[in-house]
Amino acid sequence: VKRLGVEAVYSGDIGCYSLAINKPFNAQDTLVEMGGSIGLANGMSHTLEGRVVVATIGDSTFYHAGIPGLINAIYNRAPMAVLVLDNEVTAMTGHQPNPGTGLDALGREARRIPIEDIASAIGAKVYVAKAFDPADVEVKLSRALRDALEGYTSVVVARGPCILVALSRAREARARRPLYRVNLDKCRGCMVCYKAFNCPAITPRGDGRVEIFEALCTGCGVCEKICPFNAIEVATPGSSEWLQLLGVGGGG
């Protein structure tokens, strides 16, 4: 949003991502009910001038109550961007399956109904991004914001497993997650990792620089990608199976 130089209004929803209402993210201006983000965004997109409306919703909530709102947006030509945070599970209430997981409530194999297929069938402009790849998310979200500014309804599906589920699967598969550390010779104390990314494992040292508390490091690797000085590096390499679990592929 800052790179594009636009003013955004964030229509929030109920889920783990509701925490984004807090600092430093401040990425939820409304927070009403499950599915309410797309519904409210519909109205705001027709009434707010000079601002782009971004609706945030989770995968389970999208299936539960977001689809009618998206149909309404397409039908009424609502210029807005919808960001679906797809962590491939109903995380907020206990990691139950949903129509996007490929499993039913009893854990049996079921038909998977991709969010992007639904959005595309309705007529939205659709982009799928890797949630643990900040550059990919930024590119796809920038396209969606431009679409919204041009009068279209766009959807970005940012997909990556709930980190708690990924860690559980890693233990079952004996996949080794990587651990990260801060190279203090490179750290310039910019605090992007602490104040903007806001990872709980990253803490100030007291000398203007930061360190990573290994006991809280989940091995997601996002901190390494967002550090502008390349000061965050791998302390203990992870296995290729771990990266496959995160959906980013490649080696450890």
Side-chain angles (χ1 to χ4, degrees):
V1 168
K2 290 180 179 178
R3 287 176 189 266
L4 291 176
V6 299
E7 184 179 354
V9 175
Y10 300 101
S11 185
D13 216 300
I14 303 298
C16 308
Y17 43 88
S18 298
L19 293 171
I21 199 171
N22 298 316
K23 294 181 179 180
F25 307 113
N26 300 318
Q28 301 227 19
D29 293 313
T30 64
L31 186 59
V32 180
E33 61 188 356
M34 292 182 71
S37 62
I38 299 180
L40 286 173
N42 268 289
M44 290 190 288
S45 68
H46 288 294
T47 56
L48 297 178
E49 296 183 0
R51 285 175 282 183
V52 61
V53 179
V54 181
T56 306
I57 193 168
D59 51 332
S60 298
T61 307
F62 177 83
Y63 291 116
H64 176 74
I67 297 172
L70 186 60
I71 292 174
N72 187 41
I74 296 295
Y75 181 64
N76 289 292
R77 301 181 181 86
M80 66 186 200
V82 178
L83 175 59
V84 184
L85 301 172
D86 182 5
N87 61 7
E88 304 177 329
V89 76
T90 310
M92 181 176 65
T93 56
H95 298 121
Q96 298 88 353
N98 64 47
T101 62
L103 298 172
D104 67 11
L106 298 178
R108 301 172 301 192
E109 186 175 345
R111 178 167 181 169
R112 181 174 173 270
I113 307 172
I115 294 167
E116 57 269 30
D117 288 2
I118 297 172
S120 179
I122 293 170
K125 292 199 171 189
V126 182
Y127 307 95
V128 179
K130 296 179 179 179
F132 292 100
D133 185 341
D136 189 43
V137 173
E138 183 175 349
V139 167
K140 305 294 173 54
L141 192 53
S142 293
R143 292 175 184 171
L145 291 170
R146 289 190 180 96
D147 290 340
L149 291 170
E150 293 173 4
Y152 298 101
T153 304
S154 58
V155 175
V156 175
V157 182
R159 178 169 293 130
C162 170
I163 199 66
L164 298 179
V165 173
L167 290 171
S168 177
R169 291 173 180 169
R171 287 191 292 269
E172 293 175 359
R174 297 187 178 180
R176 184 181 67 255
R177 82 179 193 275
L179 294 175
Y180 292 83
R181 66 188 172 201
V182 177
N183 185 326
L184 295 176
D185 292 332
K186 294 183 178 180
C187 180
R188 296 293 180 268
C190 69
M191 292 296 174
V192 167
C193 60
Y194 179 68
K195 293 183 178 180
F197 179 49
N198 202 227
C199 174
I202 299 175
T203 58
R205 285 167 43 89
D207 61 357
R209 296 175 293 179
V210 298
E211 60 186 346
I212 295 176
F213 186 37
E214 287 193 358
L216 292 179
C217 178
T218 62
C220 75
V222 177
C223 60
E224 181 186 27
K225 298 181 179 71
I226 58 96
C227 178
F229 299 101
N230 298 315
I232 298 178
E233 57 191 26
V234 177
T236 304
S239 62
S240 59
E241 292 84 1
W242 168 252
L243 293 179
Q244 290 172 3
L245 284 171
L246 289 188
V248 294

